[in-house]
């Protein structure tokens, strides 16, 4: 109870919503889920009026390997149906959200697991969840984060998950409920460095373009090296990247055409672009920009700078640049970043620094430095798609 109190209070103070994963490995002799412990927890949290969403287990396809216990998809589906019935018995949670099955990377056996689950319990969950890790943490090196082939592995996974979900519950929400740059908890000086941001930002852009609007990050603190703050709670590079994303990027995704980038692939050759450009309506919560503004975010994996000219109605608009680069002598390994040349650091324990843009005059060519990530707010475009929610 004390652990739950601490966890809930942290989430509540931070303005976050808590999703609590119940233990799926408490099993009866017939391998059905033993819900007695979960019921005690539900009753306790209801007595405190905690606003919590729920799920059951974590990467259930790995139970045999990790715990020597096996649960198949249809059995977990029955367990979820049982959990939904439990929630409906408790007034506080009769309408609580339920998510799952939080499977691992969708290989052949995992897809079979998901199919079994969806047949039985597809209608009981509010969103179907899975996890993705890009790299085997034991072999990661800094250049891995620059491989376009690696960045593109997520696209194939999304298609596999969508195919199963839409077969059984068309239109059901899909969430990426666990993403880390590397498995095995990541690697020190790599998955907590500036270089890991290329994968993180590409993940956010790719998922949004595929209609997946919730991404849960592994982890905030103190597990492996995928976290967002260090042991002294100083923000790491991906924290600043995430903060800029939340400040500037709205949920509405825009189609984008880049002349010279959309080349036709030749037979047997896959084109993997090292310059990746995404576009959204600027966040409505950012009061520095009027509705109708748009934000581009750009990943340049080239080892040379690239130039981009805005065309059409964007050509004569003022642009605000937010350019993130590593700070200090460690280069891509750096755990500090600079925004438009200024190092980013907390002002004090509770105060974030001002994230100042660099204004670019109307019509100016955007110059993207090598191996960088950047955001560009095109002001006052009055884009029709961005005027309204």
């Amino acid at each position: 109870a004390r652990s739950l109190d601490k966890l809930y209070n942290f989430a509540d103070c931070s303005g976050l919503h808590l999703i609590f994963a119940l233990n799926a490995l408490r099993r009866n002799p017939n391998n059905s889920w033993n819900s007695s412990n979960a019921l005690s927890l539900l009753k306790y949290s209801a007595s405190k009026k905690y606003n919590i969403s729920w799920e059951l287990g974590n990467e259930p396809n790995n139970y045999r390997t990790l715990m020597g216990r096996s649960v198949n998809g249809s059995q977990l589906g029955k367990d979820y149906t049982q959990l939904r019935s439990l929630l409906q018995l408790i007034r506080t949670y009769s309408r609580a959200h339920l998510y799952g099955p939080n499977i691992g990377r969708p290989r052949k056996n995992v897809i079979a697991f998901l199919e079994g689950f969806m047949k039985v319990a597809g209608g009981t969950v509010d969103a179907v969840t899975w996890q993705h890790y890009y790299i085997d943490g034991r072999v990661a090196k800094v250049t891995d984060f620059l491989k376009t082939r690696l960045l593109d592995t997520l696209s194939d996974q999304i298609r596999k998950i969508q195919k199963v979900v839409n077969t059984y519950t068309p239109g059901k929400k899909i969430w990426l409920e666990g993403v880390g740059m590397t498995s095995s908890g990541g690697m020190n000086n790599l998955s907590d460095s500036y270089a890991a941001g290329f994968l993180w930002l590409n993940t956010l852009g790719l998922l949004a373009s595929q209609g997946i609007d919730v991404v849960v990050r592994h982890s905030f603190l103190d597990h492996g090296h995928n976290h967002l703050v260090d042991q002294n709670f100083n923000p790491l590079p991906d924290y600043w990247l995430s903060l800029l994303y939340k400040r500037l990027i709205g949920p509405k995704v825009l189609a984008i055409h880049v002349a010279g980038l959309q080349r036709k692939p030749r037979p047997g050759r896959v084109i993997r672009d090292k310059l990746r450009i995404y576009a959204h309506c600027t966040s409505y919560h950012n009061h520095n920009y009027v509705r109708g503004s748009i934000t581009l975010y750009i990943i340049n994996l080239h080892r040379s700078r690239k130039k981009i000219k805005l065309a059409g109605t964007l050509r004569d608009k003022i642009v605000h640049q937010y350019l993130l680069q590593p700070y200090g002598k460690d280069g891509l390994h750096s755990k500090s970043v600079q925004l438009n040349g200024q190092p980013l650091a907390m002002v004090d324990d509770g105060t974030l620094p001002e994230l100042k843009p660099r204004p670019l005059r109307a019509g100016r060519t955007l110059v993207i430095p090598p191996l960088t990530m950047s955001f560009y707010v095109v002001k006052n475009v009055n884009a029709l798609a961005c005027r309204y929610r």
Side-chain angles (χ1 to χ4, degrees):
R2 283 193 299 273
S3 297
L4 181 60
D5 291 341
K6 288 179 181 177
L7 188 60
Y8 187 82
N9 289 335
F10 168 75
D12 198 40
C13 286
S14 306
L16 300 170
H17 179 70
L18 180 63
I19 303 171
F20 192 95
L22 297 162
N23 188 346
L25 282 169
R26 293 178 67 90
R27 295 271 145 191
N28 297 313
N30 66 354
N31 209 32
S32 64
W33 179 51
N34 185 329
S35 61
S36 57
N37 184 259
L39 184 58
S40 299
L41 184 72
L42 288 168
K43 287 179 176 176
Y44 173 77
S45 56
S47 73
K48 293 282 202 171
K49 294 184 167 55
Y50 288 161
N51 177 22
I52 299 177
S53 296
W54 305 91
E55 63 184 17
L56 183 58
N58 176 58
E59 291 195 75
N61 49 287
N62 282 337
Y63 289 166
R64 182 187 291 279
T65 304
L66 297 175
M67 309 294 294
R69 300 283 298 277
S70 181
V71 180
N72 62 31
S74 57
Q75 178 59 58
L76 188 67
K78 293 172 187 174
D79 302 335
Y80 262 79
T81 303
Q82 183 183 345
L83 175 54
R84 175 59 84 186
S85 298
L86 274 186
L87 293 172
Q88 288 170 344
L89 290 174
I90 300 170
R91 181 179 296 178
T92 305
Y93 300 121
S94 60
R95 296 185 178 180
H97 288 147
L98 180 61
Y99 305 110
N102 211 5
I103 53 171
R105 187 182 297 183
R107 297 186 176 97
K108 190 173 181 180
N109 63 318
V110 181
I111 288 296
F113 186 102
L114 181 60
E115 287 176 334
F117 176 86
M118 294 301 296
K119 283 177 188 175
V120 176
T124 68
V125 292
D126 294 281
V128 176
T129 58
W130 99 101
Q131 298 190 22
H132 174 69
Y133 295 95
Y134 280 98
I135 306 173
D136 182 337
R138 291 165 296 186
V139 298
K141 53 187 181 294
V142 73
T143 51
D144 285 335
F145 296 109
L146 310 178
K147 291 178 179 176
T148 55
R149 176 176 51 80
L150 187 70
L151 269 65
D152 292 337
T153 56
L154 186 56
S155 299
D156 184 48
Q157 292 197 18
I158 295 168
R159 284 192 294 271
K160 288 177 180 177
I161 297 287
Q162 286 174 332
K163 183 178 179 182
V164 176
V165 171
N166 290 329
T167 298
Y168 295 98
T169 54
K172 177 74 70 177
K173 288 275 189 187
I174 300 172
W175 290 6
L176 181 57
E177 212 199 55
V179 60
M181 301 310 101
T182 62
S183 61
S184 314
M187 283 196 73
N188 194 20
N189 295 322
L190 290 175
S191 43
D192 51 2
S193 69
Y194 176 87
F198 295 120
L199 289 180
W200 180 224
L201 188 58
N202 189 69
T203 297
L204 295 173
L206 189 61
L207 289 167
S209 68
Q210 296 292 322
I212 294 172
D213 53 9
V214 173
V215 185
V216 180
R217 163 80 185 220
H218 280 176
S219 59
F220 184 73
L221 174 71
D222 210 28
H223 171 73
H225 303 284
N226 285 326
H227 44 253
L228 292 171
V229 298
D230 67 17
Q231 295 301 311
N232 299 312
F233 297 100
N234 294 310
L236 290 163
D238 276 4
Y239 183 100
W240 298 115
L241 186 57
S242 304
L243 180 62
L244 275 169
Y245 190 94
K246 294 292 280 186
R247 291 268 179 94
L248 300 175
I249 304 297
K252 191 171 286 187
V253 183
L254 303 174
I256 190 165
H257 177 78
V258 185
L261 202 59
Q262 273 86 357
R263 306 180 302 276
K264 288 185 178 180
R266 295 196 299 270
R269 178 171 175 262
V270 178
I271 290 175
R272 303 190 184 279
D273 287 312
K274 289 192 170 189
L275 188 67
R276 291 168 184 244
I277 305 175
Y278 299 99
H280 288 231
C281 297
T282 303
S283 173
Y284 295 144
H285 299 296
N286 193 323
H287 300 301
N288 294 322
Y289 302 109
V290 299
R291 289 198 181 189
S293 300
I294 69 169
T295 303
L296 309 172
Y297 49 111
I298 301 174
I299 300 166
N300 183 13
L301 295 170
H302 290 278
R303 296 182 182 274
S304 58
R305 68 179 188 172
K306 296 295 169 185
K307 296 181 179 180
I308 295 173
K309 284 193 172 185
L310 299 180
T313 55
L314 309 185
R315 182 182 292 134
D316 59 350
K317 303 300 180 186
I318 292 173
V319 175
H320 277 185
Q321 172 186 277
Y322 298 82
L323 173 63
L324 272 184
Q325 293 173 287
Y327 177 69
K329 63 183 186 303
D330 294 326
L332 294 176
H333 285 277
S334 178
K335 295 185 183 180
S336 300
V337 296
Q338 52 185 325
L339 177 65
N340 297 325
Q342 297 298 313
L344 287 177
M346 296 292 288
V347 176
D348 56 45
D349 277 355
T351 310
L352 290 162
E354 188 179 352
L355 302 176
K356 291 183 180 178
R358 180 188 173 200
L360 305 178
R361 70 175 185 274
R364 179 169 170 172
T365 299
L366 308 183
V367 179
I368 321 296
L371 302 176
T372 57
M373 294 163 276
S374 49
F375 297 81
Y376 295 90
V377 180
V378 188
K379 297 182 66 180
N380 307 324
V381 178
N382 201 26
L384 182 61
C386 299
R387 286 188 222 160
Y388 311 102
R389 285 183 186 274

